[in-house]
Structures are given as C-alpha cells and as structure tokens.
Amino acid sequence: MADTPQKALALIVARELAANLATPMFLIDASGDLVFYNDAAEQIIGKPFGEIGTINALEWGEMLKMTTSEGGPLRRRDTPPYISFMERRPAHSTLRVTAFDGTVRELEVTAYPLFAKADEMHGVVAIFWEKGTA
C-alpha cells in the first residue's frame, strides 16, 4: 500500500503533461487500462475521452481497428503500447488506424513505460502523430 501515493503521483504527473501538450498522447495504467487521452488525440481518434472513459487497452485497440502501414492485419502484441507494457521498453512503429468517424489515418506511434522507480512500472505513455505532419 505504500506504493499507492507514488503510483498515483506518476500517473497524475503524466496526465498533467498530456493535458498540456499539443501532441496527441494517451496513458495506460499498470493494470492495462486506458485512463486518459488528451484533446490533441481526440482530433485524430474522433471521439472525446469523456465519451469513452477508462477502458481496457486491448478493447481500445479493437475499437480503433489498427492495421499495418500497408493495410494488413496487425496483431495487438506488435503495437508499440503493447510492447512497452509487456516488455517494459520503448517501442515505435507506423500503423493505420480507423478513427471513430471512419477516417483511416497513418500514424507514427511511440510508446514507453512509465516508471516511478527504476524497477516499478506504473503504466505506459504513448504519443502519436499523423505520418508526414511532424
């Protein structure tokens, strides 16, 4: 129970950062739930976080209909957020996402684990942008 305040603090600080960035960003907590994405991410995803709320990250991935950058099948375990969560390391790739409004976007996605201490991962931060706009 001693880790709870620190864990909460790490996610609170990451959420504050995300809320103040113009770069699309989302957060996954240590239990694997998507717990926040910022206004910039809403513009790409096509739906405000308030309408979705906290959701399991695997369900989230299914909702967005991700494919490879060539349009082929993409296993969730090959996405940067999944790699960062499971392997506790940074990951990057290009993929396609079908947003809630039906728009297909090619995205660059970088994810990295969020550590409060060197050996305690408390979640994953993912930043993304439309390919060719960075």
Side-chain angles (χ1 to χ4, degrees), residues 87-103:
E87 298 180 19
R88 302 182 188 283
R89 66 174 178 87
H92 176 86
S93 71
T94 303
L95 51 88
R96 287 186 188 163
V97 170
T98 302
F100 287 102
D101 64 3
T103 304

Side-chain angles (χ1 to χ4, degrees), residues 49-128:
F49 178 74
E51 289 184 26
I52 302 222
T54 299
I55 185 172
N56 181 274
L58 295 177
E59 291 177 54
W60 169 249
E62 289 174 11
M63 292 170 73
L64 290 177
K65 301 175 189 137
M66 294 181 283
T67 65
T68 66
S69 59
E70 294 81 28
L74 178 66
R75 300 177 302 188
R76 280 187 296 282
R77 67 180 180 205
D78 294 331
T79 65
Y82 187 92
I83 292 166
S84 290
F85 188 85
M86 297 305 290
E87 298 180 19
R88 302 182 188 283
R89 66 174 178 87
H92 176 86
S93 71
T94 303
L95 51 88
R96 287 186 188 163
V97 170
T98 302
F100 287 102
D101 64 3
T103 304
V104 177
R105 292 183 168 90
E106 189 165 18
L107 304 177
E108 297 283 343
V109 181
T110 299
Y112 55 91
L114 181 62
F115 290 95
K117 293 181 181 178
D119 61 344
E120 294 180 12
M121 188 187 81
H122 295 293
V124 168
V125 174
I127 60 171
F128 55 99

